[in-house]
Amino acid sequence: MAARDFEMLAQDVRDCRICEDHLPFGPRPIFQAHPDARVLIVGQAPGRRVHESGKPFNDPSGVRLRNWLGMDEETFYDARSVALLPMGFCFPGTGSSGDLPPRPECAAEWRGPLLEHLGNIRLTLVLGRYAMAWHVPEARGTLVDIIGQWRERAPKLFVTPHPSPRNQRWLKSNPWFEDETVPALRKAVARALRQG
Ligand code: SF4
């Protein structure tokens, strides 16, 4: 029954057109989820390339993300292992300084009901500030401060920068992230996936 409820909900999301008036390329909700998933990855919203392919993280950000996780593509795209629920499910278009923020209607409408079905999550990975505002509302300080406090939340939750190539400079000036946080994240992911 719960699985059927989840499938009905997932279909409602796929059919959603709530904010279509604000989406320059139209609605195309892109996400991956299953009630058995053990790792939850929360990104921002699909970019243009993902909008076209329909496959989440099928871009340079995804390559870096899978490297951070120590995860191959087969595991990453197995919905029974990994849930990919960005803060907005449709490509919001681009502005003068890159992709626009995720549409706020999306999380307000769908996030709570979907997360209710994901009762097996052992580790949540929060990518960037939009995801953080929802999943770590108590966090105070800059995003860098909060990423640096990873030991306080590990191994159940990690906040990282978005793996976008746009953040290359940030990664270069904060080498501790790939030296210390990423190895701990890989270990926590492997453990979460081993758990039933
Ligand atoms: S962004 Fe979310 S709320 Fe808006 S149309 Fe897509 S699925 Fe619906």
Side-chain angles (χ1 to χ4, degrees):
M1 182 64 179
R4 206 172 70 207
D5 288 349
F6 174 76
E7 262 319 305
M8 287 168 62
L9 174 62
Q11 191 56 50
D12 286 346
V13 178
R14 286 183 206 111
D15 294 339
C16 178
R17 308 187 71 81
I18 287 175
C19 60
E20 69 175 323
D21 291 347
H22 302 281
L23 300 173
F25 297 89
R28 187 176 192 191
I30 298 170
F31 65 99
Q32 167 179 304
H34 186 280
D36 290 349
R38 277 150 285 158
V39 173
L40 169 63
I41 298 176
V42 186
Q44 183 168 313
R48 177 74 184 260
R49 190 161 156 179
V50 171
H51 172 81
E52 284 165 0
S53 70
K55 193 170 179 184
F57 286 105
N58 182 31
D59 57 10
S61 297
V63 173
R64 174 173 275 149
L65 175 58
R66 286 184 284 279
N67 179 267
W68 285 352
L69 299 170
M71 195 181 279
D72 59 27
E73 285 202 22
E74 190 183 346
T75 308
F76 187 81
Y77 289 115
D78 174 8
R80 289 177 184 267
S81 296
V82 177
L84 302 170
L85 290 184
M87 295 308 297
F89 296 143
C90 300
F91 174 43
T94 47
S96 53
S97 56
D99 287 357
L100 293 170
R103 289 301 313 174
E105 299 90 337
C106 201
E109 182 72 17
W110 299 118
R111 200 143 198 88
L114 283 167
L115 290 176
E116 267 180 36
H117 286 271
L118 299 186
N120 210 24
I121 295 297
R122 305 285 197 258
L123 185 156
T124 299
L125 177 60
V126 172
L127 305 176
R129 64 193 174 97
Y130 296 106
M132 197 181 70
W134 179 283
H135 285 271
V136 201
E138 74 284 2
R140 295 287 173 268
T142 66
L143 182 59
V144 184
D145 292 339
I146 293 155
I147 294 169
Q149 296 157 1
W150 62 271
R151 289 180 180 82
E152 294 175 17
R153 301 181 180 90
K156 290 193 169 171
L157 190 143
F158 285 78
V159 179
T160 74
H162 196 279
S164 162
R166 283 175 161 270
N167 284 329
Q168 186 62 28
R169 199 188 316 173
W170 187 92
L171 292 169
K172 271 212 170 353
S173 49
N174 294 279
W176 53 267
F177 175 75
E178 290 190 308
D179 291 347
E180 298 170 27
T181 316
V182 167
L185 172 63
R186 282 191 192 135
K187 212 161 141 185
V189 167
R191 191 165 71 177
L193 292 176
R194 278 199 303 272
Q195 292 172 332

